[in-house]
Amino acid sequence: MYNEHLQVEIAEEDARAARDQVKAEQDMAYQETLQADIAKEAAKRQKEADLAAERQRLDSAKAEEDARRESIRLVAEQSLPKEPTETESNITKFVYVNQPVTF
């Protein structure tokens, strides 16, 4: 009877050890998956931050280029002489006529 009882306890202990082993393997797999998910999320955030920084750099470069062009335009505008008034003499007026010219 003792041997039978001992065999039952050994079988229960083996089953418990097998369950504990499966649980430990599942926990380890879960931790590995969790770490992989955390790494993926960190990589995604880093990529988004890199894209935002690149967008900011491009916007800044565009703003600088626009400012440079505006500066050139203002310098060119200031270097032009003033337009003559309608009453000034020695001016030439061009008239655009939208008609075919025949010779």
Side-chain angles (χ1 to χ4, degrees):
M1 182 152 170
Y2 174 75
N3 283 338
E4 288 176 18
H5 183 63
L6 185 60
Q7 291 300 322
V8 169
E9 285 186 20
I10 290 173
E12 287 176 356
E13 184 65 29
D14 289 345
R16 186 177 14 260
R19 283 192 308 272
D20 289 346
Q21 178 67 28
V22 169
K23 185 178 181 300
E25 289 173 2
Q26 288 174 338
D27 287 345
M28 188 170 33
Y30 171 77
Q31 290 299 323
E32 289 173 359
T33 303
L34 182 63
Q35 292 301 320
D37 288 346
I38 290 171
K40 283 181 189 177
E41 186 63 31
K44 180 181 175 184
R45 281 194 304 272
Q46 182 63 42
K47 184 177 180 181
E48 288 172 354
D50 291 345
L51 287 173
E54 180 65 14
R55 254 186 256 116
Q56 179 67 28
R57 186 191 67 77
L58 291 174
D59 289 346
S60 177
K62 184 181 182 304
E64 287 177 15
E65 179 65 19
D66 290 347
R68 185 186 67 80
R69 287 182 184 203
E70 181 63 16
S71 174
I72 291 171
R73 187 191 68 75
L74 288 173
V75 168
E77 184 180 289
Q78 291 171 354
S79 68
L80 292 174
K82 298 215 183 269
E83 290 285 328
T85 62
E86 292 285 327
T87 59
E88 280 189 45
S89 59
N90 296 327
I91 61 171
T92 303
K93 292 184 181 181
F94 291 92
V95 178
Y96 174 75
V97 179
N98 192 10
Q99 295 178 356
V101 177
T102 58
F103 293 96

